[in-house]
Amino acid sequence: TWEETIGGNRTFTLSGDTTLYWKCFSNECSWGDEFPFPEFEVNFKVNMAKAINTNGFDKAKDTLIARIGFLGTAIKTVDAKLSAPLLGTVFTGKTGVDSLVAVRGTTVLYQYYKKNAAGEFEEFYFDNFNTYPGSAAPKFRKAVVPLTGNSFSTEDLLNDNVSTHRQPFFRNTNPVGVPTTLTLEVNGSPAHFLTSCLGGKLNDIQGGSLMVDGYNIKSLPLYVNGPATGGWQPWDSLSLGLPRRMTYDGSGRWSISIDYPEEAAISQEFKLSIGGADNEAGFGNNHMANLFPTSTNNTKVQFGDIQPSRYKVDDQNYWDFTSETGIINGDLGLMCPWPEDVPDETPQNFSLSAWPNPFNPATLISCTVPTSGRLSLKVFDLQGRQVAVLLDEVRPAGVHQVPFRAEGLSSGVYLVRMQSGNRQESLKVMLVK
């Protein structure tokens, strides 16, 4: 029997962006199977080896929390306390049953926190492959809500610096406790591979004029900037100066030693630069080194591993930061030596060569010119049609190397033509697919 109400049905007014969670009938309320916001249990599994081994997490003093539902990806954020194993470093835990309210098939954002007597600290994380909209999204990990069932799992176990589901890393704001010297070693190969081997460029994200390419990377030093050096300095070689200039060893490695007093924080943040410009990665995306209470510390990083997408041309030509050698296109990497390996003396003759030849899908064109001036490298098919312009600009005397990538061309013989002043050289290359 329906109740009697004055004026007909009961009404209520919605104000702003409102969600009605429950449906009720005959004194019984439920979500209903068709309701778009079901409840879920989330299981977490994470390897804390890196956090422990870098002096960022102490199993005896710190508690690990997983928090999920950021940026409105769930009705509210939900915490899960993760338990430490008796042996090993893999922590596990889960939210309460029916505690996470989210939309099926959508992405929910989560993050790890450590708690101790000093407070709560979020992990130091950047999603290098983030596709979720919003400027804050890269700082969070991602999980997809299932289309069926009411539970799902996340696993963050990978032991590298770039994968989306890599192991967590935590800041440590405690003082290191003893005077120590940090030796920072940088592998500059990713920048060299992008510019000298793939023909890419690294711009200054602050809008400066310096553009790093395969030609000038040879003459530009490497700098370190940030709190690890005493504070951020303007992004130019004059401001960074000799105290922040790294030493080159001749084989793609750079290093610098920085002294810290005993009251210095364990976590030291920094960013790298070629030539003084802010050209390693995006704004606010930095490296972090945690110090140990010993007289010496050593940290090794790869230039650019805080933003791998900046060192990628396509799926076949990019630097793989999960590997120490890093070269995806192995043949192209092996034939592209560091610029310092090219003799500096002025050549006396013209020369033009390619290796490998035959090739698939890329070969490295090397040319030598004895005088400075406009240098042109163009590729033609056997019908005389131009299929690529590899180089057309003023270059100094010396050896120049330019990759020729032919993924979109058919198998066959092509003619590489070099023009320098009144001198012209030609070379046949064969693409075999």
Side-chain angles (χ1 to χ4, degrees):
T1 302
W2 291 101
E3 66 173 335
E4 295 293 333
T5 59
I6 299 176
N9 295 329
R10 293 176 179 268
T11 63
F12 59 90
T13 301
L14 302 180
S15 176
D17 184 5
T18 305
T19 301
L20 183 65
Y21 297 134
W22 299 92
K23 66 175 186 180
C24 301
F25 183 76
S26 187
N27 292 328
E28 294 183 2
C29 298
S30 66
W31 289 102
D33 293 338
E34 76 286 356
F35 197 76
F37 294 100
E39 298 171 315
F40 296 91
E41 176 185 76
V42 187
N43 299 278
F44 296 92
K45 185 177 183 181
V46 54
N47 193 337
M48 294 296 292
K50 181 175 181 179
I52 295 170
N53 294 336
T54 56
N55 201 19
F57 190 89
D58 188 336
K59 290 175 64 175
K61 299 179 180 179
D62 299 327
T63 299
L64 184 63
I65 301 293
R67 184 167 297 156
I68 189 168
F70 289 97
L71 301 185
T73 55
I75 297 302
K76 64 178 181 178
T77 58
V78 178
D79 284 3
K81 181 179 178 181
L82 277 60
S83 301
L86 293 177
L87 298 174
T89 56
V90 177
F91 286 55
T92 57
K94 59 185 177 181
T95 63
V97 176
D98 299 340
S99 62
L100 182 75
V101 182
V103 179
R104 292 189 182 277
T106 62
T107 298
V108 287
L109 310 185
Y110 68 101
Q111 197 172 43
Y112 293 107
Y113 289 79
K114 70 173 180 179
K115 286 186 176 181
N116 54 35
E120 181 179 270
F121 305 88
E122 68 180 35
E123 64 174 319
F124 188 77
Y125 178 83
F126 185 90
D127 185 353
N128 300 291
F129 309 102
N130 171 71
T131 57
Y132 195 89
S135 59
K139 70 176 290 187
F140 297 107
R141 298 173 184 264
K142 282 82 179 174
V144 177
V145 181
L147 296 175
T148 60
N150 289 90
S151 67
F152 60 96
S153 301
T154 69
E155 294 188 355
D156 299 297
L157 307 171
L158 299 179
N159 183 23
D160 65 67
N161 295 326
V162 301
S163 300
T164 301
H165 291 288
R166 62 186 181 269
Q167 300 175 19
F169 180 92
F170 286 97
R171 295 175 186 263
N172 191 332
T173 58
N174 294 324
V176 65
V178 299
T180 186
T181 298
L182 170 65
T183 298
L184 176 63
E185 298 181 22
V186 178
N187 179 3
S189 297
H192 164 66
F193 186 69
L194 173 72
T195 57
S196 299
C197 304
L198 302 182
K201 299 179 185 294
L202 288 173
N203 67 305
D204 182 354
I205 68 166
Q206 304 282 354
S209 60
L210 178 61
M211 183 70 70
V212 179
D213 58 21
Y215 168 63
N216 64 8
I217 192 173
K218 174 181 178 179
S219 61
L220 296 172
L222 198 70
Y223 295 91
V224 59
N225 197 0
T229 66
W232 291 107
Q233 299 296 318
W235 288 99
D236 60 77
S237 58
L238 183 62
S239 299
L240 294 177
L242 289 176
R244 294 171 177 81
R245 182 169 174 167
M246 307 187 78
T247 301
Y248 183 57
D249 71 353
S251 62
R253 309 284 170 157
W254 301 78
S255 64
I256 192 172
S257 294
I258 308 172
D259 295 327
Y260 296 99
E262 62 184 48
E263 62 270 19
I266 289 174
S267 292
Q268 296 293 331
E269 190 171 359
F270 62 94
K271 194 174 185 181
L272 304 169
S273 163
I274 298 176
D278 188 1
N279 50 25
E280 184 190 13
F283 182 77
N285 193 9
N286 306 318
H287 297 273
M288 183 75 72
N290 282 355
L291 304 175
F292 285 88
T294 58
S295 60
T296 59
N297 278 269
N298 185 279
T299 295
K300 296 181 179 180
V301 299
Q302 297 187 70
F303 188 95
D305 65 6
I306 49 179
Q307 191 175 349
S309 59
R310 193 165 164 82
Y311 302 84
K312 183 172 184 177
V313 174
D314 51 49
D315 288 339
Q316 284 75 43
N317 298 280
Y318 63 96
W319 187 266
D320 180 10
F321 286 95
T322 64
S323 166
E324 177 63 22
T325 55
I327 299 170
I328 288 298
N329 191 328
D331 289 339
L332 189 57
L334 291 174
M335 66 186 177
C336 186
W338 268 85
E340 285 75 5
D341 294 337
V342 178
D344 288 332
E345 60 268 16
T346 301
Q348 302 300 314
N349 300 310
F350 286 88
S351 68
L352 180 63
S353 62
W355 192 90
N357 188 20
F359 68 97
N360 179 32
T363 184
L364 191 72
I365 308 298
S366 297
C367 62
T368 304
V369 291
T371 59
S372 62
R374 178 163 290 277
L375 178 61
S376 170
L377 281 173
K378 298 179 181 180
V379 183
F380 300 85
D381 62 17
L382 293 184
Q383 285 72 46
R385 294 172 296 195
Q386 180 177 295
V387 298
V389 177
L390 306 181
L391 186 67
D392 189 12
E393 61 187 54
V394 175
R395 286 292 179 95
V399 180
H400 305 276
Q401 296 177 316
V402 184
F404 171 36
R405 295 186 294 275
E407 290 90 345
L409 299 178
S410 302
S411 296
V413 176
Y414 293 86
L415 189 68
V416 180
R417 183 175 299 161
M418 177 182 75
Q419 180 81 40
S420 178
N422 297 324
R423 184 69 179 266
Q424 187 177 101
E425 297 283 341
S426 297
L427 173 71
K428 288 183 179 180
V429 294
M430 180 178 291
L431 171 63
V432 179
K433 292 188 174 181

Short mmCIF file of all heavy atoms in Angstrom, two decimals, residues 3 5 12 36 53 96 100 126-127 134 146 154 183 204 220 241 273 279 281 284 315 320 327 345 375 390 397 423 431:
data_model
loop_
_atom_site.label_atom_id
_atom_site.label_comp_id
_atom_site.label_asym_id
_atom_site.label_seq_id
_atom_site.Cartn_x
_atom_site.Cartn_y
_atom_site.Cartn_z
N GLU A 3 2.15 5.00 0.56
CA GLU A 3 1.87 6.05 1.55
C GLU A 3 1.15 7.21 0.88
O GLU A 3 1.23 7.39 -0.33
CB GLU A 3 3.18 6.55 2.19
CG GLU A 3 4.10 7.27 1.22
CD GLU A 3 5.30 7.90 1.90
OE1 GLU A 3 5.20 8.19 3.09
OE2 GLU A 3 6.33 8.10 1.22
N THR A 5 1.07 11.20 0.48
CA THR A 5 1.84 12.41 0.71
C THR A 5 1.11 13.59 0.10
O THR A 5 0.44 13.46 -0.94
CB THR A 5 3.24 12.32 0.08
OG1 THR A 5 3.08 12.11 -1.32
CG2 THR A 5 4.03 11.17 0.68
N PHE A 12 13.44 15.39 -3.89
CA PHE A 12 14.63 15.95 -3.27
C PHE A 12 15.43 16.68 -4.36
O PHE A 12 15.28 16.38 -5.55
CB PHE A 12 15.49 14.88 -2.58
CG PHE A 12 15.97 13.78 -3.48
CD1 PHE A 12 17.17 13.90 -4.15
CD2 PHE A 12 15.20 12.62 -3.65
CE1 PHE A 12 17.62 12.88 -4.97
CE2 PHE A 12 15.65 11.62 -4.48
CZ PHE A 12 16.87 11.74 -5.14
N PRO A 36 26.46 1.48 -11.42
CA PRO A 36 27.77 1.73 -12.03
C PRO A 36 28.91 1.85 -11.04
O PRO A 36 30.05 1.96 -11.46
CB PRO A 36 27.55 3.06 -12.77
CG PRO A 36 26.47 3.74 -12.01
CD PRO A 36 25.56 2.64 -11.54
N ASN A 53 67.44 -1.33 0.22
CA ASN A 53 68.85 -1.31 -0.15
C ASN A 53 69.39 0.09 -0.43
O ASN A 53 70.61 0.28 -0.49
CB ASN A 53 69.08 -2.21 -1.36
CG ASN A 53 68.83 -3.67 -1.06
OD1 ASN A 53 68.91 -4.10 0.09
ND2 ASN A 53 68.52 -4.44 -2.08
N GLY A 96 40.00 -3.41 2.75
CA GLY A 96 38.88 -4.14 3.31
C GLY A 96 37.94 -4.63 2.21
O GLY A 96 37.90 -4.08 1.11
N LEU A 100 36.60 -0.27 -1.77
CA LEU A 100 36.89 0.65 -2.86
C LEU A 100 35.68 0.74 -3.78
O LEU A 100 35.25 -0.26 -4.34
CB LEU A 100 38.11 0.18 -3.65
CG LEU A 100 38.52 1.11 -4.80
CD1 LEU A 100 39.20 2.35 -4.25
CD2 LEU A 100 39.43 0.39 -5.78
N PHE A 126 57.59 8.57 -10.64
CA PHE A 126 57.10 9.26 -11.83
C PHE A 126 56.79 8.20 -12.87
O PHE A 126 57.64 7.38 -13.21
CB PHE A 126 58.15 10.24 -12.37
CG PHE A 126 57.68 11.06 -13.53
CD1 PHE A 126 57.05 12.28 -13.33
CD2 PHE A 126 57.86 10.62 -14.84
CE1 PHE A 126 56.62 13.05 -14.39
CE2 PHE A 126 57.42 11.38 -15.91
CZ PHE A 126 56.81 12.60 -15.68
N ASP A 127 55.55 8.21 -13.38
CA ASP A 127 55.14 7.23 -14.39
C ASP A 127 55.63 7.72 -15.75
O ASP A 127 55.03 8.61 -16.36
CB ASP A 127 53.62 7.07 -14.38
CG ASP A 127 53.15 5.98 -15.33
OD1 ASP A 127 53.99 5.45 -16.08
OD2 ASP A 127 51.95 5.67 -15.34
N GLY A 134 45.77 14.96 -17.02
CA GLY A 134 46.02 15.77 -15.83
C GLY A 134 47.49 15.86 -15.51
O GLY A 134 48.23 14.89 -15.64
N PRO A 146 38.39 -4.21 -12.89
CA PRO A 146 37.90 -5.29 -13.77
C PRO A 146 36.45 -5.07 -14.17
O PRO A 146 35.67 -4.42 -13.48
CB PRO A 146 38.06 -6.54 -12.90
CG PRO A 146 37.97 -6.04 -11.49
CD PRO A 146 38.64 -4.69 -11.51
N THR A 154 47.32 -5.78 -7.73
CA THR A 154 48.41 -5.01 -8.33
C THR A 154 49.72 -5.62 -7.86
O THR A 154 49.83 -6.08 -6.73
CB THR A 154 48.37 -3.53 -7.93
OG1 THR A 154 48.69 -3.41 -6.54
CG2 THR A 154 47.00 -2.93 -8.17
N THR A 183 80.20 10.07 -4.93
CA THR A 183 80.70 10.03 -6.30
C THR A 183 79.54 9.67 -7.21
O THR A 183 78.99 8.57 -7.12
CB THR A 183 81.84 9.01 -6.46
OG1 THR A 183 82.94 9.40 -5.63
CG2 THR A 183 82.31 8.97 -7.91
N ASP A 204 65.97 22.60 -24.96
CA ASP A 204 65.94 23.14 -23.60
C ASP A 204 64.48 23.34 -23.22
O ASP A 204 63.77 24.16 -23.82
CB ASP A 204 66.69 24.47 -23.56
CG ASP A 204 66.75 25.09 -22.17
OD1 ASP A 204 66.10 24.56 -21.25
OD2 ASP A 204 67.42 26.12 -22.01
N LEU A 220 80.12 19.67 -25.87
CA LEU A 220 79.38 20.18 -24.72
C LEU A 220 79.66 19.35 -23.47
O LEU A 220 79.55 18.12 -23.50
CB LEU A 220 77.88 20.18 -25.01
CG LEU A 220 77.42 21.11 -26.14
CD1 LEU A 220 75.95 20.86 -26.46
CD2 LEU A 220 77.66 22.57 -25.77
N GLY A 241 78.77 26.59 -13.82
CA GLY A 241 80.20 26.77 -13.56
C GLY A 241 80.96 25.48 -13.30
O GLY A 241 80.44 24.37 -13.32
N SER A 273 72.52 17.96 -17.06
CA SER A 273 72.41 18.91 -18.16
C SER A 273 73.56 18.72 -19.13
O SER A 273 74.71 18.55 -18.73
CB SER A 273 72.44 20.35 -17.63
OG SER A 273 72.71 21.27 -18.67
N ASN A 279 67.89 20.17 -20.33
CA ASN A 279 67.55 19.37 -21.50
C ASN A 279 67.54 17.86 -21.24
O ASN A 279 67.51 17.07 -22.19
CB ASN A 279 68.52 19.67 -22.65
CG ASN A 279 69.98 19.63 -22.23
OD1 ASN A 279 70.34 18.95 -21.28
ND2 ASN A 279 70.83 20.37 -22.93
N ALA A 281 65.17 16.14 -19.05
CA ALA A 281 63.83 15.61 -18.90
C ALA A 281 62.87 16.76 -18.65
O ALA A 281 63.26 17.93 -18.63
CB ALA A 281 63.78 14.61 -17.74
N GLY A 284 60.47 19.40 -13.25
CA GLY A 284 60.12 18.77 -11.97
C GLY A 284 60.38 17.29 -11.92
O GLY A 284 60.08 16.64 -10.91
N ASP A 315 59.44 2.46 -32.37
CA ASP A 315 59.51 1.18 -31.65
C ASP A 315 60.76 0.39 -31.99
O ASP A 315 61.11 -0.55 -31.27
CB ASP A 315 58.27 0.34 -31.98
CG ASP A 315 57.03 0.90 -31.31
OD1 ASP A 315 57.18 1.66 -30.33
OD2 ASP A 315 55.91 0.61 -31.78
N ASP A 320 66.94 1.62 -24.48
CA ASP A 320 66.22 0.83 -23.48
C ASP A 320 66.88 1.04 -22.12
O ASP A 320 67.94 0.48 -21.85
CB ASP A 320 66.24 -0.64 -23.87
CG ASP A 320 65.51 -1.51 -22.85
OD1 ASP A 320 64.84 -0.95 -21.97
OD2 ASP A 320 65.62 -2.74 -22.95
N ILE A 327 70.80 -0.49 -25.98
CA ILE A 327 70.54 -0.30 -27.40
C ILE A 327 69.51 -1.30 -27.89
O ILE A 327 69.69 -2.50 -27.80
CB ILE A 327 71.84 -0.44 -28.20
CG1 ILE A 327 72.85 0.62 -27.76
CG2 ILE A 327 71.57 -0.34 -29.69
CD1 ILE A 327 74.24 0.40 -28.32
N GLU A 345 91.88 15.41 -36.06
CA GLU A 345 92.71 16.11 -37.03
C GLU A 345 91.92 16.38 -38.31
O GLU A 345 91.04 15.62 -38.69
CB GLU A 345 93.96 15.30 -37.35
CG GLU A 345 93.69 13.94 -37.94
CD GLU A 345 93.61 12.87 -36.86
OE1 GLU A 345 93.47 13.23 -35.66
OE2 GLU A 345 93.69 11.68 -37.21
N LEU A 375 77.13 21.13 -46.47
CA LEU A 375 77.26 19.70 -46.73
C LEU A 375 75.88 19.12 -46.98
O LEU A 375 74.97 19.29 -46.15
CB LEU A 375 77.94 19.00 -45.56
CG LEU A 375 78.11 17.49 -45.66
CD1 LEU A 375 78.97 17.11 -46.86
CD2 LEU A 375 78.72 16.94 -44.38
N LEU A 390 69.22 13.48 -45.87
CA LEU A 390 69.85 13.13 -44.60
C LEU A 390 70.51 14.33 -43.94
O LEU A 390 70.55 14.43 -42.71
CB LEU A 390 70.88 12.02 -44.80
CG LEU A 390 70.39 10.75 -45.51
CD1 LEU A 390 71.52 9.74 -45.60
CD2 LEU A 390 69.20 10.16 -44.77
N ALA A 397 84.91 21.17 -41.28
CA ALA A 397 85.72 20.08 -41.81
C ALA A 397 85.78 18.96 -40.79
O ALA A 397 85.79 19.18 -39.58
CB ALA A 397 87.13 20.58 -42.13
N ARG A 423 82.50 19.72 -55.01
CA ARG A 423 82.87 18.30 -55.00
C ARG A 423 81.63 17.43 -54.73
O ARG A 423 80.80 17.74 -53.86
CB ARG A 423 83.92 18.03 -53.92
CG ARG A 423 84.42 16.60 -53.90
CD ARG A 423 85.26 16.28 -55.13
NE ARG A 423 85.75 14.92 -55.08
CZ ARG A 423 86.95 14.57 -54.60
NH1 ARG A 423 87.78 15.52 -54.16
NH2 ARG A 423 87.32 13.32 -54.59
N LEU A 431 69.21 -2.07 -49.72
CA LEU A 431 68.25 -2.39 -48.67
C LEU A 431 67.69 -3.77 -48.95
O LEU A 431 67.12 -4.01 -50.03
CB LEU A 431 67.13 -1.35 -48.64
CG LEU A 431 65.94 -1.64 -47.75
CD1 LEU A 431 66.37 -1.71 -46.29
CD2 LEU A 431 64.86 -0.57 -47.91
#
